Amino acid sequence: MMYDTWAPLQAVLNNGPHYVLDNQKIWTDPIAEFNMACRISSPIRAEFYLAPQADSLLVRGNITGQVILPCVRCAEDTRFELDEHFDTFEPFPAADSAAGKPPDPELDEYFIRLSPLGASLEINLAALAWEEFAQALPGRPLCSPDCAGLCPKCGLNLNYAQCICAEENPDPRMAKLRGLKINQ
Ligand SMILES: [Zn+2]
Ligand SMILES: [Zn+2]
């Protein structure tokens, strides 16, 4: 799979510290695999600067693009501009592996690992690009901060119209929401 591509770290670093990943399959493959309600509406681009430290790799960069996600309250398609900076240290797994200890699942060995032959370190830049994308997505996507959501009874989108469910069965929370709208 595209986003699970390992490359020798030394070879990557030999090409210079700056990388741009823009193969959309890095993001569209896992979106499809995890069945995520997310569409890419403007190409995603991940930029990396890699700087090796004594026991880790400094990974600095940014991710940009645009996605469409359903609003968590009304389910309407909503566009989100992604423009996130990241700055992380990815630990080298060498120390533990050399001591013959099993890999520590808490360590980010998903991004940097000892090659299957144990001879060199390998990095998975595409997996990092996916991770940064997933973290850049809004946790609770909203079409607008004051989205009124769907009526829990009839399912009507209350941003466009008012149903009669609330009138039939007065709910103090709904009254409060209507009050907020009137005040604007
Ligand atoms: Zn909404
Ligand atoms: Zn209703």
Side-chain angles (χ1 to χ4, degrees), residues 140-163:
R140 276 179 55 79
L142 284 170
C143 63
S144 88
D146 57 353
C147 170
L150 304 177
C151 170
K153 283 204 172 137
C154 70
L156 189 81
N157 186 332
L158 300 174
N159 293 310
Y160 301 131
Q162 190 65 58
C163 60

Side-chain angles (χ1 to χ4, degrees), residues 114-132:
L114 215 52
S115 72
L117 293 175
S120 63
L121 291 174
E122 293 180 329
I123 184 164
N124 193 337
L125 275 180
L128 260 171
W130 164 256
E131 178 77 5
E132 295 301 341

Side-chain angles (χ1 to χ4, degrees), residues 1-21:
M1 181 171 294
M2 183 60 217
Y3 75 95
D4 196 23
T5 309
W6 293 91
L9 179 60
Q10 201 50 55
V12 168
L13 290 171
N14 284 346
N15 285 325
H18 181 222
Y19 285 85
V20 173
L21 272 74

